[in-house]
Amino acid sequence: MPRFYLFIILSILLFHACKIGDKTAGLTLPVIERNDVFDFPLDWIGIYEGDLIIYRGPTDTTQIEMKLQIANPDKEGFYPWIMIYGENDIRNYGLESIDPERGYYVLDEFNSIKLDAYHRHNHLVSKFSVKGTDLTVDYERVQGGIDILFYVSIQKPGNITGGEIFESDTIPVVSSYQLAAFQKASLKKIK
């Protein structure tokens, strides 16, 4: 019976969140000043290393060494963005500044793949799809390093709910997606 009550509470919270979203559409929210803002991409330049932990299930985990090297721009204007997994898996990318005023960048894999990336308060976030999966990658510059989160989900919805009239409100259709894997790395700046 407790799961039923939890389900009801979560449903009510989701319902109220939908209603609150409609009521706050025209509001201007205050800007919060923060002192721990790193200048992007200049304050990100360096060499970072640590462990990447891959969670495929509640008890299925793998851990590998990971390095991230970000360097000053090359003559073409790309910030070298090199990711190293273990000892032999080296991925040479380039960060291209497209519209820094909007926080819009591109991670170029130099193989015809170019991933849009957006900088928002110490985070560089990229979301893309490949081979039936959606990936969201969140790089966060923190004191002493960079934390990286990778969310991998299946593109096909696992559960579709909503889309009904509830107490005279039209509830939107909500699609839920299966989490295939979650990866986390806390990399310390070594240089």
Side-chain angles (χ1 to χ4, degrees):
M1 202 60 145
R3 284 187 180 181
F4 174 75
Y5 291 120
L6 179 61
F7 173 76
I8 295 298
I9 291 169
L10 291 174
S11 297
I12 291 169
L13 290 173
L14 178 61
F15 172 72
H16 285 294
C18 292
K19 291 181 83 172
I20 290 170
D22 291 337
K23 293 177 182 176
T24 60
L27 296 178
T28 302
L29 300 175
V31 175
I32 298 171
E33 294 295 326
R34 302 271 316 249
N35 295 329
D36 58 345
V37 176
F38 294 92
D39 185 30
F40 184 79
L42 296 177
D43 287 345
W44 291 49
I45 292 172
I47 299 174
Y48 305 84
E49 66 180 25
D51 290 322
L52 173 68
I53 302 172
I54 303 167
Y55 302 90
R56 290 186 187 88
T59 59
D60 181 9
T61 61
T62 304
Q63 182 172 324
I64 59 173
E65 292 179 6
M66 181 178 179
K67 289 184 183 177
L68 173 61
Q69 300 175 8
I70 305 169
N72 285 304
D74 60 21
K75 61 183 178 182
E76 286 82 29
F78 290 97
Y79 289 81
W81 190 280
I82 302 165
M83 299 176 74
I84 304 168
Y85 300 96
E87 294 182 20
N88 300 320
D89 188 356
I90 301 171
R91 302 182 188 187
N92 291 295
Y93 304 147
L95 179 73
E96 183 179 10
S97 176
I98 304 296
D99 188 349
E101 292 295 316
R102 288 187 332 144
Y104 175 43
Y105 297 82
V106 166
L107 278 168
D108 194 328
E109 295 188 9
F110 303 118
N111 63 0
S112 78
I113 296 174
K114 296 181 180 190
L115 305 174
D116 289 341
Y118 296 89
H119 177 253
R120 301 289 186 273
H121 184 75
N122 294 335
H123 291 261
L124 183 68
V125 180
S126 182
K127 182 173 174 57
F128 54 95
S129 299
V130 60
K131 294 184 177 180
T133 59
D134 285 335
L135 288 91
T136 301
V137 183
D138 179 1
Y139 301 88
E140 180 184 9
R141 181 69 168 90
V142 296
Q143 287 293 334
I146 293 179
D147 289 343
I148 309 171
L149 299 175
F150 302 84
Y151 296 93
V152 184
S153 61
I154 307 297
Q155 283 182 329
K156 181 180 175 185
N159 194 12
I160 300 173
T161 58
E164 299 177 8
I165 304 295
F166 183 80
E167 295 181 2
S168 75
D169 287 327
T170 301
I171 306 301
V173 173
V174 176
S175 298
S176 300
Y177 296 86
Q178 176 186 343
L179 181 68
F182 168 71
Q183 302 175 21
K184 179 179 181 179
S186 291
L187 306 180
K188 303 297 177 203
K189 188 170 186 177
I190 60 168
K191 203 172 188 187

